[in-house]
Amino acid sequence: MKKILLSLFILGSFYVSAQDIDIKKGKVLFDKKEVVLVEGKKRVYTLSDIQNKPILSIEYKAEPYPYGGNKIWFRLIDLTSNQSNDFETDMKGFSLFNLEKDIVKTFSNGQYKIITSNGIDQSIVQQILQLDKRDIQEEYNNEILDYNKLLDELTELVKSNGIYFDNKGIIYQNNIKIGQILYSPSGFSVDNYTLVENNNYKVGEFGGNSLEISDLNKVYSLKLKELENPLKDKSSRDIKNNKFFTQIVGFALKNGFALNTQLQIKNSTEERVDYQNKIAEAKANSSNLYDVPGFLIDEKGNKVAGKLSINFENATSKVEKSNIESLPENYGKSVYVKAVNEKGKEKSTRYKSNTGAKFCTDSGDCYIGLKTIGNVFNSIGNVMSLSTDFSYFYKILNEDNGFLILEEPSNNKLYIKIPNQEKALYLGNNNDDKLEKNFNEYIKCSLNVTDFDLKSVDGIKTFFEKYKTTCK
């Protein structure tokens, strides 16, 4: 993995430095060749040809959004015709301390390559001037005006419905609890908040200055600034009419959440039933197990009978909206066994794949926790989750005296395990040379990988029989 990341870094560095662009004493140089002169004053940059004839000016414009971030755009003026236009680019990261360099970078490598190795490209200048005429400052002013009107409307919605809050984020109407805002500190700069009904139905989430409220058919989004609130700051004074809580709940009300005894989505009973049917169908067609009768054998050989639950995939990802909670682990790494304890109470116990546990359903499907070799980009998600646990629960397709044919339940990728190896070998490598190398190192025998069909269960069984008679 380190080699792969290093290769990507080297490739990226080569791409960026393929053409050396530099600025020295107001001169823009391409591969040490002077192509354009640049002079900046109060965020206005004049570009001149190498004979010092002014050609155009580019003004950097930025206005702050009330919820964080900036509206960034440019005003281009053709100094020969005095034509101008406002426009935006796909470049967003600008530093006021290196603004001149960022401007040159934007207009030499970005969406509009005005500065080239041959000087100023007039065709790009004309392209910008011929775009729809815009006054982006006016657009921004109207956008902020509309935004503030919306926040006022949300506040009035909450106030007119007699809604208020306490220091635990509980939402009341006429002294009756109708929902709650839950706080989930992330440990980083972005915290998360969840708006739920009394029945714990998730209405929406706020995180990273973005609020999303969902009904069964659509997701509504709003940018918000995280304001003072008692869930995070116990010294907060504004609790009952908390502005931050008010904006979250007001946005829910505005987008179809009616108020009776609790927050409710304004959808018909048929829509709710249809949605729940879609969830049930998605779960039934997945590789996941949900409270399936069976048993587990732990690393000490103890057998536990009960109901098995494990997530191998996000079963509801294709359903438009899901409030079904995923089991709290990386897919395929933990199985939960719900069993009755000595006190007669049902208790769920978690067993991890890295312990080598094995479990089977009453229908006869069995799974085993193993580490593997040969699959760098496996579906377990270790790279993305920064996990150091490279084990997984694999489904056993065939077992014969320690010879195992395995697959990943979510994608049917095949693996094998032989008795003298602790790990399983991945067989789905599309690189024939890599597969052959892994195969030879794994079996430590003179058998040739190309003599066997390792893409099928029958082909693997043939290999196992040959291995038993040839390899010691």
Side-chain angles (χ1 to χ4, degrees):
M1 185 63 196
K2 289 182 178 179
K3 291 182 179 179
I4 293 170
L5 292 175
L6 180 60
S7 300
L8 291 173
F9 176 78
I10 293 172
L11 179 63
S13 300
F14 174 79
Y15 177 79
V16 171
S17 59
Q19 191 167 47
D20 185 18
I21 302 174
D22 199 5
I23 304 174
K24 290 185 177 179
K25 297 181 179 179
K27 299 177 181 179
V28 180
L29 298 95
F30 276 45
D31 295 329
K32 298 182 180 180
K33 173 190 172 184
E34 182 181 323
V35 295
V36 170
L37 304 182
V38 58
E39 181 182 3
K41 186 176 182 181
K42 293 184 178 180
R43 303 190 187 185
V44 179
Y45 292 85
T46 301
L47 300 183
S48 306
D49 62 19
I50 56 176
Q51 283 78 39
N52 203 21
K53 177 185 176 182
I55 305 297
L56 59 90
S57 72
I58 297 175
E59 181 179 1
Y60 171 83
K61 307 278 283 185
E63 293 282 4
Y65 284 117
Y67 43 78
N70 294 291
K71 175 80 169 179
I72 294 174
W73 74 97
F74 299 91
R75 174 166 293 168
L76 181 145
I77 300 176
D78 183 343
L79 298 178
T80 60
S81 65
N82 209 34
Q83 289 181 286
S84 66
N85 201 5
D86 288 359
F87 67 103
E88 298 173 271
T89 76
D90 52 11
M91 301 284 281
K92 301 300 180 185
F94 293 90
S95 168
L96 295 180
F97 299 102
N98 295 291
L99 190 54
E100 183 179 74
K101 290 183 179 179
D102 287 343
I103 293 292
V104 171
K105 176 183 175 182
T106 297
F107 294 105
S108 57
N109 287 327
Q111 181 180 1
Y112 298 105
K113 296 179 177 60
I114 294 175
I115 305 172
T116 72
S117 58
N118 296 317
I120 295 173
D121 189 335
Q122 284 288 354
S123 67
I124 302 298
V125 174
Q126 293 306 310
Q127 177 187 338
I128 295 171
L129 292 175
Q130 290 169 17
L131 294 172
D132 291 340
K133 295 298 180 181
R134 299 175 64 186
D135 183 339
I136 298 182
Q137 180 68 61
E138 184 179 358
E139 292 175 16
Y140 166 82
N141 292 341
N142 291 333
E143 184 179 352
I144 297 302
L145 184 63
D146 290 342
Y147 180 81
N148 289 330
K149 285 181 179 178
L150 172 60
L151 295 187
D152 291 341
E153 181 184 345
L154 303 185
T155 301
E156 182 57 33
L157 266 174
V158 171
K159 181 180 178 181
S160 62
N161 279 281
I163 296 172
Y164 57 94
F165 312 91
D166 69 10
N167 59 3
K168 295 181 180 179
I170 296 175
I171 309 164
Y172 296 93
Q173 184 187 37
N174 300 324
N175 296 322
I176 299 173
K177 178 184 175 183
I178 60 171
Q180 187 170 4
I181 295 174
L182 305 175
Y183 170 51
S184 302
S186 66
F188 299 96
S189 58
V190 176
D191 292 322
N192 299 302
Y193 300 84
T194 305
L195 173 61
V196 297
E197 297 182 12
N198 284 345
N199 58 4
N200 288 324
Y201 185 92
K202 185 173 73 175
V203 176
E205 285 188 303
F206 173 87
N209 297 111
S210 182
L211 171 63
E212 287 192 352
I213 302 293
S214 305
D215 64 19
L216 301 184
N217 304 302
K218 189 174 180 180
V219 176
Y220 306 88
S221 297
L222 174 70
K223 289 290 186 181
L224 279 182
K225 183 177 182 180
E226 182 179 348
L227 303 170
E228 178 183 294
N229 68 83
L231 295 178
K232 189 173 181 179
D233 183 3
K234 300 301 181 183
S235 65
S236 298
R237 297 179 180 178
D238 183 16
I239 297 176
K240 189 172 182 178
N241 301 306
N242 185 273
K243 192 173 182 180
F244 181 50
F245 294 168
T246 294
Q247 290 170 351
I248 291 176
V249 174
F251 192 62
L253 296 177
K254 180 177 174 60
N255 289 291
F257 288 77
L259 278 165
N260 294 317
T261 57
Q262 61 183 29
L263 287 168
Q264 292 181 335
I265 298 178
K266 289 197 297 190
N267 288 93
S268 69
T269 301
E270 287 134 3
E271 286 176 316
R272 284 182 176 274
V273 170
D274 179 61
Y275 173 70
Q276 293 302 328
N277 288 339
K278 287 180 180 179
I279 291 292
E281 182 181 1
K283 291 171 68 177
N285 292 331
S286 75
S287 58
N288 299 338
L289 303 180
Y290 302 96
D291 285 339
V292 176
F295 66 88
L296 177 139
I297 300 174
D298 66 17
E299 69 272 22
K300 297 179 181 178
N302 299 318
K303 183 177 180 180
V304 182
K307 298 174 184 176
L308 307 168
S309 294
I310 182 170
N311 276 354
F312 290 107
E313 60 182 305
N314 184 353
T316 59
S317 61
K318 294 182 181 179
V319 180
E320 190 167 352
K321 174 181 177 291
S322 171
N323 288 293
I324 304 300
E325 294 296 332
S326 295
L327 295 176
E329 86 281 355
N330 291 334
Y331 295 128
K333 288 181 174 293
S334 296
V335 60
Y336 291 79
V337 183
K338 193 182 294 182
V340 178
N341 60 21
E342 60 276 6
K343 296 182 180 179
K345 295 184 178 180
E346 199 171 51
K347 180 182 178 182
S348 182
T349 304
R350 179 183 181 185
Y351 296 87
K352 295 184 177 182
S353 56
N354 59 14
T355 64
K358 178 181 178 181
F359 62 91
C360 299
T361 67
D362 284 357
S363 63
D365 292 331
C366 292
Y367 304 76
I368 188 169
L370 287 172
K371 293 182 179 180
T372 62
I373 61 173
N375 188 6
V376 176
F377 298 103
N378 55 47
S379 66
I380 304 173
N382 291 291
V383 175
M384 295 304 294
S385 64
L386 304 181
S387 172
T388 58
D389 174 15
F390 284 83
S391 65
Y392 191 75
F393 277 113
Y394 295 91
K395 187 175 183 179
I396 301 174
L397 300 182
N398 189 78
E399 184 172 8
D400 180 18
N401 294 317
F403 288 87
L404 302 178
I405 303 176
L406 309 164
E407 74 170 3
E408 287 187 43
S410 62
N411 55 33
N412 307 120
K413 292 180 179 179
L414 292 176
Y415 296 74
I416 59 172
K417 184 186 180 302
I418 56 180
N420 62 343
Q421 288 281 9
E422 291 184 0
K423 299 179 180 180
L425 172 67
Y426 173 56
L427 299 177
N429 204 312
N430 292 325
N431 185 319
D432 292 338
D433 292 338
K434 184 66 174 177
L435 176 59
E436 182 176 8
K437 178 177 181 295
N438 292 338
F439 180 83
N440 292 337
E441 291 178 354
Y442 186 75
I443 68 170
K444 294 181 172 58
C445 187
S446 59
L447 297 179
N448 192 339
V449 68
T450 58
D451 293 338
F452 306 98
D453 175 18
L454 299 181
K455 304 292 185 182
S456 70
V457 172
D458 289 339
I460 295 172
K461 288 180 179 179
T462 301
F463 157 67
F464 279 164
E465 292 305 316
K466 188 67 174 177
Y467 179 92
K468 292 174 187 176
T469 59
T470 306
C471 308
K472 300 292 184 180

